[in-house]
Amino acid sequence: MLRAGAGIGSCCVQASGSWELVSEGRIFRDGQGRRRVTLLLFKDVKNAADLRKKAMEGAIDGSLINPTVILVAANKAVHLYKLGKMKTRTLPTEIIFNLSPNNNISEALKKFGISANDTSVLIVYTEDGEKQIDQENLISQVEGHQVALEKLSELTNITEVKKIYKLSSQEENIGTLLDGVIGRMSTKDVL
């Protein structure tokens, strides 16, 4: 499974035309400069069960997930938040939900959210002008090693990604794995 987070290093993926790469740590901000998305990637995490509990209690103001195509999901979640059309109650949960190829919220949280046995975690949090996150406090809660975002592919189980998104070898011959995943994520609302 994938688990997410990045604050070391920079990211070279642009979620959409309305987001831009800002710097290391603060990964993307919307075109109006009001909302930023930051990713923090950790490996060798020893307290995943505790982190999951804190996330469920709302004590961690971010999405603790299994790393996939997070920036597409974050972009969509922030867009729905701005429109007041989220399907979940919180922006961190909406980010996790938007990773899913289907509309089942609890299934999305099970597949993409952190589980008690995970050893890698990607923390995704958003900020706007009014709400700032204490990144150092967030990092201090993880018993693991923060690593560069470039290590995300090394922590990704490609076989599991193909299984979750039901990607066939024929699709891989036509496009990339990323194309298939983004296609599944974006069409779930119209199917």
Side-chain angles (χ1 to χ4, degrees):
M1 292 291 278
L2 307 173
R3 301 288 177 256
I8 298 176
S10 61
C11 180
C12 58
V13 178
Q14 187 165 331
S16 81
S18 64
W19 291 81
E20 63 181 278
L21 177 63
V22 185
S23 67
E24 297 179 12
R26 301 277 189 260
I27 303 300
F28 289 93
R29 71 170 175 231
D30 65 12
Q32 295 137 357
R34 291 191 287 239
R35 184 154 301 270
R36 295 180 297 209
V37 176
T38 302
L39 309 175
L40 302 168
L41 182 60
F42 295 87
K43 69 176 192 173
D44 303 325
V45 175
K46 295 172 179 48
N47 65 329
D50 183 49
L51 292 171
R52 182 177 192 277
K53 182 179 181 226
K54 287 180 181 181
M56 292 176 71
E57 294 169 348
I60 292 181
D61 204 357
S63 304
L64 282 76
I65 62 172
N66 174 332
T68 312
V69 287
I70 189 59
L71 296 175
V72 174
N75 185 39
K76 182 176 179 183
V78 169
H79 179 70
L80 292 171
Y81 173 81
K82 286 180 176 181
L83 295 175
K85 297 191 180 219
M86 293 192 318
K87 293 182 179 172
T88 66
R89 287 181 266 168
T90 68
L91 190 53
T93 303
E94 189 75 14
I95 292 170
I96 295 171
F97 172 68
N98 282 306
L99 288 167
S100 179
N102 64 51
N103 283 308
N104 186 319
I105 296 170
S106 61
E107 185 179 315
L109 294 173
K110 287 176 189 171
K111 281 187 180 174
F112 298 98
I114 189 171
S115 68
N117 297 321
D118 287 336
T119 58
S120 299
V121 66
L122 178 65
I123 299 175
V124 179
Y125 67 87
T126 63
E127 298 177 295
D128 59 27
E130 303 162 8
K131 178 182 157 197
Q132 301 296 309
I133 303 294
D134 181 353
Q135 183 172 314
E136 291 305 315
N137 180 50
L138 188 59
I139 291 169
S140 72
Q141 295 182 59
V142 180
E143 295 172 15
H145 300 86
Q146 188 174 5
V147 296
L149 185 56
E150 290 83 13
K151 301 284 186 189
L152 185 60
S153 63
E154 295 173 21
L155 301 173
T156 302
N157 182 334
I158 299 301
T159 304
E160 186 71 14
V161 170
K162 289 177 184 178
K163 180 181 171 189
I164 289 171
Y165 291 100
K166 299 179 179 147
L167 299 172
S168 68
S169 57
Q170 292 173 335
E171 288 177 283
E172 286 186 74
N173 293 334
I174 296 169
T176 66
L177 179 65
L178 183 60
D179 293 337
V181 170
I182 291 172
R184 296 295 195 286
M185 288 170 50
S186 50
T187 58
K188 79 176 181 181
D189 293 325
V190 294
L191 295 177

